[in-house]
Each structure stands twice: as structure tokens, then as C-alpha cells.
Amino acid sequence: MSQTLTIDWRHVRTNRKLFTTSIYSPGSPILLPNGARIFNRLVEFLRRQYVRYGFDEVITPTIYKKALWRKSGHLDNYSDDMYTVTSTSPSRSDSATAGDEEDEYGLKPMNCPGHCLIFASQRRSYRHLPIRYADFSPLHRNEISGALSGLTRVRRFHQDDGHIFCRPIQIEEEIRKTLDFVRVVYSTFKLGTYRLALSTRPADHYIGTAEEWEGAENALKRALDASGQEWTVNEGDGAFYGPKIDIILRDSDGKEHQTATIQLDFQLPKRFDLGYSAPAPEFERRGEITNDPDKLAEFGLVTPVLIHRAVLGSVERLMALLIEHYDGKWPFWLNPRQVIIVTVNNSEQVVGLARSAQDILLGRDGRANGPVVDPSQLTVDIDDSRRSLPQKVREAKSKGYSVIVTVGPKQVPKGTITVDISGTESAKAPQKQEMREMTPIELLCLLRTRANSYHPSDPPPDYETAAAEHGPATAPVPPSQARRPPPPPGALLDLPILKYMRTHRVILASASPRRRALLSQLGLPRLEVRASSKPENLSKSDLGPWEYVAATAAQKALDVYAAAVEEAASLQSQPLPPAPASSDNSGADPAANVDLDAERARKDPDLVIAADTVIVTRDGAILEKPSSEAAHGKMLRHLRDTRAHRVLTAVCAVAPRADAQHPGYAMASHVEETKVLFARETDGVPDDVIDAYVRTREGVDKAGGYAVQGLAGALLVEKVDGAVDNVIGLPVRKCLQLCEKVIFRQNEESEGEEEEDE
């Protein structure tokens, strides 16, 4: 986060006009229009992400009877932090007895009991799970008055509260998705690094048995290990109903703030007698799978597992961190002061054009006597005061407006406006004034695109246009058509792991043709190729080269493994398609007349292999992949001129666990380093050779990569100190060792490689 002074909330309240407070409601910030805009945009951003992560929003009461809090355990374990609500009118009592507990209510400090009531309101089947509820309703917690501070420590706040009711077998997958949700959100805000902490069972004030807590903590540990991120343990800091994963951010003053949280709860569903119907209930409770038809014929009620999650945590607290982090230089989509229209003079025609432009930008330019049907949700102000134009512009910039629109008498006949959008650029880049003349409609289209992208300060590189100049890219070849005929038997290496890979379903989680060629040469003609759909957006600076490349390979392997398992499950309920027509299958067994590729797709993968390669410069930084043709040539010239670099390739192998009592997957990974010495310009690699290569078909195809293989390697690489196949993109020998490990030696300890079991 930016190194600024500790935030002064009095300055924020007075100058930025985001919120205020009142002695009549201490600890309850009152959001002013600017603050409400930020709050609403944060909430709307989360709502859009709920579409991807499968959450349904609900609205629940603010107060519940005391009996509910007793049932949930909050009254015994959390009463000091709760507010009690009673009526002062006996005539409105719920009970005939004065002072009866039936008349006592509590302001909710959490949403989980209310969401349990929603789950219990209907009969549930295992087919319905996971069920994910989200809730933004306000919460109240009775914080000590001396601890109250601005937006960071309050009594009334809003949480992006979510609860996932899932099967025991779904726990780790749901936690993995939630950690991915956190990563996506926090990378959007660019708040910097955060750390993960596992909080375990408190010494006292907890519900459930020690054995139940141990099982819950182990499930969270496996999910944290699978995340590929470092994590620590906070002994005894768990919630009273279960352990949790806390996401902790550090502000510019060095103080840490717990924002997001993921909590695992086996207790609350039991207290509310929640259940769902499932076959083989004993296996279901243990998170195990059975194919025994007698067991599957038996149905029974199983208690779901509850996962509490909050990605933003307290919205108010996150606002405080964002206020300090951005220091008035908000990204356009989050800026409470997005657009201001300043007039050159206050003549009727100029002010009229300014008002008309404002209506168009706000989306209220429809019929005056009808409803607003397409509001833009932008914030557009007007300054038509009698001051000079330079004064208005200076004030607009000092207030932090992203876009400054100028309207003068010369534009009235054309109906155009002059726009300065330099305020929408990244604060890290030099902001050059960029004046454009356009119509209000054109500006509206531009601003809507920027507001909806969530990354207006860092627009994505547009290399597709550059690549298109060199001809259309070839369409991807389906795996079934890309397979080569099997090589002669004498060319096959007689190794146990290769024998296994030839007879089982093996997937290469990479679109690289060279990695596929290396494995195919080992006699794997039925190798499937399936690239990961997950973007490679881990932080290079936070993780460092070794951890970054290892985490990226693991992410690819797990993403493809999970997708293949999900696809296989969905295909099992569908009939097998017939095999393609053949001229020599007359008289063949009709039972064998099925599509073998389709049959393999119905089976879970037996092995998934993934790899990722980066180039590390002499100063230890990861060389960024080029985003344009010009950047591609610049990168190759940099490699040539600086000569010595390191190539890191991470390989990851994933296979299902062989022990049926402990379902999940085994994963092993390794990072191979090779020192590469690139040729000099005098060795035959002048600029025109590099430029010619970039314009080739391979050059365009490799624009997203490093281009040290193939023709580029032949042109650029002078000497390799280490494994040559590592430079090509897959250290084959180490790859086979990892495959052997996850297939044949899952329970053995090993050195020199990283291993995870889930």
C-alpha cells in the first residue's frame, strides 16, 4: 500500500465529504452522498461476482427473539457484544407475562442463524447442494466506546456476508473457490499483499467436541496447502463455533486489518437440526463415495456443513483501507467524483448544452413525463459559476474528478463537448492532458466501458489486432484429431510409468505444441490436451519467480483436473454416442460399437500434467510477456543485449488418491532451472533478424510467451547450462518422476520436490 501518513478521519469527513458521525449514534458512521456512492459500487461489484461464484442474495430481519440467539449459541458465547431490544409498551408485548424472555429481542451481530432458518424452511436433497446465500443487511456489535475509530472500528456496519451449505465431500472445493474469490477481488483493488492465517479452537467458549474441531481444522489446512499461498496459524483465535481462515491486510502505518474471513462450522447446522436427504448416508457423512448398490438404495438425513465467508469483510473497514490506499486518486469505476462539466461562460446556450450533456451522461434524456429506463449510474456534476475556466479546472482536479468536460460557445452549433480523460489513467503513469472533442453520446459509451471494466487504470494489452495483421490464427485442433498414430513398438521406452500412462486417461494441461510433442515421443498417442481456462493473474512481485511459476503450474493442473472430473460426472448420465462409421466394421460386436473418445471422457482423469515457464532476468525479476508486436521485438532485443538469464519451468502432476477411505487428489511439483546465454548482435542477431522473426507466423503465435523455443531458440540461444528440454518447456525426466510419485508412491516421503495431498 502507498506510504502515506496515518489517515486523519477529521480531514476525510471535512474535505472529502464521505461520511460524518453523530454523538446520538456513536460508532455508526453516516455515509454522505460521496461515501454512499463508493459503498454502493463496492456492493454492486460483489453482486456481479456472485454470478460467477453461484451466490443467491437474500434479505433477512435485523432483530430476532432472544430464543434464536440461545439456540445458535450466541447468547452463551457472544452476549457481551450484542444489543438487547425490548418494547417500552406493555400493550405491544408478545407475552402475557411481564418481563418474559418472549419479549426480548437481539440486534443481529451475524447473519448465520437467519440463513439457517432459510435452509430449514424447505426439504433439501443432496442434489441441491451446495446452496450459497449472500446478505448485505446491517449488523450491530457492541464495541467498547474507547476502541471506536472512523470507519475501521464501528458498532453498525455492513458485511458481504455469505453462507455455503454443502456436503462434507464438497468442503475443500468450496473453500478453494472462496479463496479464488478473495484473490480476484483483492487483485482488482490492487491493495497489495495479504496474508492467510488459520485460527484454531479457542481455549474456552467454544461449542462441539475436540475431535470435530480437529477434523474441521484439518480440512482448512488441506485447502490452504492446495491454494499454493503461504499461511500461518493463530492458535486459539477461532470463532466459538469453528476454525477460520483470516485474510489480513497491512495499512501504510504498518497496522494489520483482518478483512475477509472463511469459517468452517459443523455445530450450527446441528443446533438448528438441518438436514438433507442422501443415498448411503453413512458414507455421505464421512465424505466418502461408494458404488455398492445396496448402500446406494438406502436414503437418510445427513447434516450439512456450513461455511461462513466474507470477502470484503466489513464494507466500511475496506472503504477505510481504500481511502488511504488511493489517497483521493480513485479508479474511475469507484470514484465518487467521476465527471464534471465546466462552462466557459454562463450564457443560456452554453449552460443549456451543459445541462443536455449531463442528462445524456446520466441516462435521463428520455421522456420528461416517463420513468428513467436506462440510468448510467455515473456521477456527473456541473460547474456553471461565473469564475474563470482555469479556476474551475484547477478546482476540479484538486477535488479528484476523473473526467473534465468543457462546454463553450463554439461547440453549441455542433452540439459537441471537449473532454479531458487524463484523470482516468493510472496514478503511476505520467498524466498527460488528453483533450478530445466528441458528442455526449460518444463519451457515454466510452465511460460506460471504463466503469464496467473495473480496471480502467490498467487497460488490457491489445495484441489481437497486431496478430491479425499477419493472417488469421489457425483454429484449435480438437484433441481427438490432434493425436498421432502410435509409434513402432521398438521406439517405446519400457518403463512402468509409461506403461501406465499408455493405458489410462492422461491429460496435458497446456496448449504448447512442443510440450505435447515431447510427451508424444515417449509413446503416448492417446494423450489428451486441454488448456486451463483460468487466467494467469497471480502476483509476480508478491510471490517471486520460483513460487510464482510453481503456483501457476499447480493452478493449471488443478483447474483442468476439476473441470475434467465435473465433465465426466455430467456425461455419465448421457448415452454413449456411436462410433464413427467405418468400412471395415461389418460383423463387429455391437456392444463395442461406441465412440471410444466419448467413453474415455466419461471417466475421471487418472493423471493431469501441467507446466509453466518464465524467464528470470539478472536482477531477479520475471520478464513480462509481450503485449504487442513492438513489445515482442523489444523483449527479444533485451534478451540479446543482456545475454545471461535463467529459465524456470515448473512441472505439476495431479492424480486421484488411491485410498478410497481418503478421497481427493495427490499432487507433486518441481521447478527446474536452466541458465541460458543469448547470442550477441555481432553473432548474427541484428535488429532486422529479430523484427523478421516477430512478423512470422510463429512470432505471432508466441507473442503471449517467451519465444525461446523453436526458430527463436535457434536464432537467439548461444549456450545452455542445464537441461535443454527445460528451455523447450518441459523437463521430461523430472516430469516422469513426478508422475511416478503421484501414481505409485503416494504415501512415501520425498525430497527435492513439493507435494500436496488433499
Side-chain angles (χ1 to χ4, degrees):
M1 299 181 67
S2 58
Q3 296 300 313
T4 59
L5 296 177
T6 303
I7 194 163
D8 185 347
W9 291 114
R10 292 170 298 180
H11 171 79
V12 171
R13 289 198 296 267
T14 305
N15 290 17
R16 302 185 186 177
K17 298 181 180 179
L18 298 178
F19 75 100
T20 188
T21 58
S22 170
I23 59 172
Y24 298 107
S25 186
S28 300
I30 302 170
L31 296 184
L32 302 177
N34 283 344
R37 290 180 186 124
I38 297 172
F39 177 94
N40 288 331
R41 286 168 186 159
L42 289 172
V43 170
E44 183 58 31
F45 169 71
L46 260 292
R47 284 189 171 124
R48 294 191 179 193
Q49 310 319 306
Y50 287 166
V51 176
R52 173 186 295 174
Y53 294 98
F55 282 87
D56 293 312
E57 190 173 345
V58 296
I59 300 174
T60 52
T62 302
I63 62 172
Y64 292 95
K65 288 189 174 182
K66 195 174 181 179
L68 177 78
W69 303 114
R70 187 179 302 282
K71 184 174 185 177
S72 68
H74 285 81
L75 206 59
D76 296 328
N77 296 277
Y78 205 75
S79 58
D80 290 345
D81 297 298
M82 294 180 62
Y83 286 98
T84 299
V85 180
T86 57
S87 173
T88 58
S89 174
S91 63
R92 290 171 171 78
S93 173
D94 293 335
S95 172
T97 306
D100 195 297
E101 186 179 286
E102 188 73 12
D103 290 327
E104 292 188 24
Y105 289 75
L107 281 173
K108 66 176 179 184
M110 304 173 183
N111 284 306
C112 35
H115 292 183
C116 287
L117 295 179
I118 297 176
F119 185 93
S121 66
Q122 301 178 35
R123 295 183 62 181
R124 309 288 183 178
S125 164
Y126 74 100
R127 298 180 184 276
H128 299 148
L129 271 59
I131 294 174
R132 307 179 186 94
Y133 295 134
D135 200 329
F136 287 104
S137 54
L139 305 175
H140 293 80
R141 297 179 186 174
N142 190 12
E143 296 280 357
I144 300 172
S145 60
L148 300 178
S149 174
L151 295 173
T152 58
R153 201 68 180 265
V154 295
R155 288 174 172 167
R156 180 186 185 272
F157 62 97
H158 298 76
Q159 197 172 51
D160 63 309
D161 214 357
H163 293 94
I164 304 168
F165 298 88
C166 67
R167 303 164 61 192
I169 201 172
Q170 297 169 333
I171 291 175
E172 291 169 36
E173 174 64 13
E174 289 302 311
I175 293 175
R176 183 193 68 79
K177 290 180 179 178
T178 305
L179 286 172
D180 182 68
F181 194 173
V182 171
R183 179 190 58 78
V184 167
V185 170
Y186 282 70
S187 63
T188 300
F189 294 135
K190 297 180 175 61
L191 279 170
T193 58
Y194 60 84
R195 66 181 181 90
L196 303 177
L198 172 63
S199 298
T200 58
R201 175 170 57 90
D204 48 19
H205 290 295
Y206 66 90
I207 55 180
T209 65
E211 290 76 15
E212 290 170 329
W213 274 80
E214 183 180 2
E217 289 171 5
N218 288 336
L220 290 182
K221 288 177 181 178
R222 288 192 295 271
L224 285 167
D225 288 338
S227 73
Q229 294 179 260
E230 292 185 2
W231 55 277
T232 58
V233 176
N234 287 343
E235 294 288 351
D237 201 33
F240 71 87
Y241 47 76
K244 60 178 180 172
I245 299 172
D246 289 329
I247 285 78
I248 300 172
L249 282 170
R250 186 188 299 271
D251 66 19
S252 63
D253 197 40
K255 185 177 180 181
E256 291 189 328
H257 300 272
Q258 183 249 306
T259 51
T261 184
I262 305 167
Q263 302 172 0
L264 191 55
D265 186 355
F266 291 93
Q267 308 304 325
L268 215 56
K270 292 180 180 178
R271 286 178 167 256
F272 281 85
D273 298 318
L274 304 183
Y276 63 93
S277 176
E282 290 303 318
F283 285 84
E284 179 73 15
R285 292 186 187 98
R286 297 195 299 267
E288 299 175 2
I289 297 175
T290 179
N291 294 319
D292 188 334
D294 295 332
K295 298 292 185 182
L296 293 173
E298 177 188 350
F299 273 74
L301 280 180
V302 180
T303 303
V305 179
L306 177 58
I307 299 175
H308 310 249
R309 76 102 190 99
V311 176
L312 298 183
S314 161
V315 181
E316 285 82 355
R317 181 181 297 173
L318 186 72
M319 282 180 61
L321 294 173
L322 293 175
I323 289 169
E324 183 175 12
H325 177 63
Y326 292 125
D327 193 25
K329 300 177 180 65
W330 296 91
F332 179 74
W333 71 273
L334 203 51
N335 195 349
R337 291 169 168 158
Q338 291 175 318
V339 183
I340 186 169
I341 302 174
V342 296
T343 57
V344 174
N345 58 48
N346 61 342
S347 66
E348 183 178 349
Q349 295 86 352
V350 170
V351 173
L353 177 57
R355 299 287 179 191
S356 174
Q358 183 188 41
D359 288 340
I360 292 172
L361 294 177
L362 291 173
R364 64 184 185 192
D365 54 326
R367 293 185 298 119
N369 60 348
V372 177
V373 296
D374 189 22
S376 66
Q377 308 299 333
L378 297 172
T379 303
V380 185
D381 298 323
I382 286 184
D383 183 354
D384 58 357
S385 63
R386 294 178 177 272
R387 296 177 300 162
S388 68
L389 182 62
Q391 285 180 310
K392 296 179 185 180
V393 171
R394 279 197 301 270
E395 183 180 272
K397 290 183 176 180
S398 68
K399 288 184 176 180
Y401 282 96
S402 297
V403 177
I404 300 176
V405 177
T406 305
V407 177
K410 294 181 180 179
Q411 296 161 305
V412 171
K414 298 181 290 183
T416 59
I417 54 180
T418 301
V419 183
D420 178 7
I421 61 170
S422 59
T424 63
E425 302 305 321
S426 171
K428 299 177 183 178
Q431 297 186 5
K432 297 180 180 179
Q433 191 172 33
E434 184 179 354
M435 309 298 292
R436 303 184 189 178
E437 187 161 349
M438 60 181 70
T439 65
I441 291 290
E442 291 172 336
L443 178 59
L444 175 61
C445 295
L446 172 65
L447 297 184
R448 269 185 161 166
T449 301
R450 296 208 174 196
N452 292 332
S453 70
Y454 298 120
H455 291 281
S457 299
D458 300 286
D462 181 16
Y463 188 52
E464 294 181 3
T465 303
E469 294 177 357
H470 305 283
T474 56
V477 180
S480 59
Q481 299 178 21
R483 296 176 185 142
R484 300 179 179 181
L492 300 179
L493 290 172
D494 191 19
L495 299 175
I497 185 60
L498 288 176
K499 289 181 179 179
Y500 177 93
M501 294 168 70
R502 290 169 195 143
T503 57
H504 290 73
R505 187 182 182 195
V506 181
I507 300 176
L508 174 62
S510 172
S512 168
R514 291 183 177 83
R515 290 187 181 123
R516 182 176 62 202
L518 283 171
L519 290 178
S520 297
Q521 290 172 12
L522 297 174
L524 302 174
R526 302 180 68 186
L527 179 70
E528 294 181 43
V529 178
R530 178 187 295 215
S532 170
S533 60
K534 183 167 290 188
E536 297 180 23
N537 52 6
L538 299 175
S539 173
K540 297 182 179 69
S541 58
D542 295 343
L543 296 176
W546 284 76
E547 291 184 21
Y548 170 81
V549 72
T552 303
Q555 178 178 279
K556 291 179 179 179
L558 291 175
D559 180 54
V560 170
Y561 179 85
V565 170
E566 184 176 352
E567 179 183 274
S570 65
L571 290 175
Q572 287 173 4
S573 60
Q574 303 175 17
L576 276 170
S582 175
S583 59
D584 58 353
N585 65 350
S586 57
D589 183 2
N593 190 26
V594 295
D595 187 342
L596 295 179
D597 287 342
E599 186 177 21
R600 284 167 59 84
R602 297 158 66 93
K603 182 181 180 299
D604 288 352
D606 298 298
L607 178 64
V608 174
I609 303 168
D612 190 60
T613 301
V614 298
I615 294 180
V616 182
T617 60
R618 290 185 297 181
D619 58 1
I622 297 176
L623 193 67
E624 291 292 338
K625 297 180 181 180
S627 58
S628 66
E629 182 179 308
H632 192 187
K634 182 179 179 181
M635 182 197 75
L636 296 180
R637 282 188 286 272
H638 171 76
L639 293 174
R640 176 199 65 190
D641 297 336
T642 51
R643 301 208 71 200
H645 300 282
R646 289 175 294 152
V647 174
L648 300 182
T649 296
V651 185
C652 180
V654 175
R657 289 195 58 81
D659 185 359
Q661 299 297 318
H662 300 86
Y665 61 79
M667 181 169 71
S669 59
H670 171 79
V671 178
E672 186 84 1
E673 176 181 340
T674 300
K675 184 178 178 181
V676 177
L677 198 66
F678 289 86
R680 300 182 182 89
E681 183 174 1
T682 56
D683 293 330
V685 194
D687 288 352
D688 59 345
V689 171
I690 290 177
D691 293 338
Y693 167 77
V694 170
R695 290 192 295 270
T696 65
R697 179 72 261 171
E698 179 183 292
V700 174
D701 289 341
K702 292 297 296 178
Y706 290 108
V708 295
Q709 302 103 8
L711 178 60
L715 290 172
L716 291 171
V717 177
E718 178 180 347
K719 181 180 178 182
V720 174
D721 183 10
V724 176
D725 55 358
N726 185 45
V727 179
I728 299 175
L730 187 69
V732 176
R733 175 173 49 81
K734 180 54 68 174
C735 176
L736 293 180
Q737 288 179 336
L738 297 179
C739 295
E740 197 172 54
K741 167 63 181 171
V742 297
I743 297 298
F744 300 139
R745 298 182 286 112
Q746 290 186 357
N747 298 321
E748 295 180 18
E749 296 294 332
S750 61
E751 296 180 358
E753 62 193 35
E754 300 174 11
E755 181 193 355
E756 297 177 13
D757 288 333
E758 175 171 322

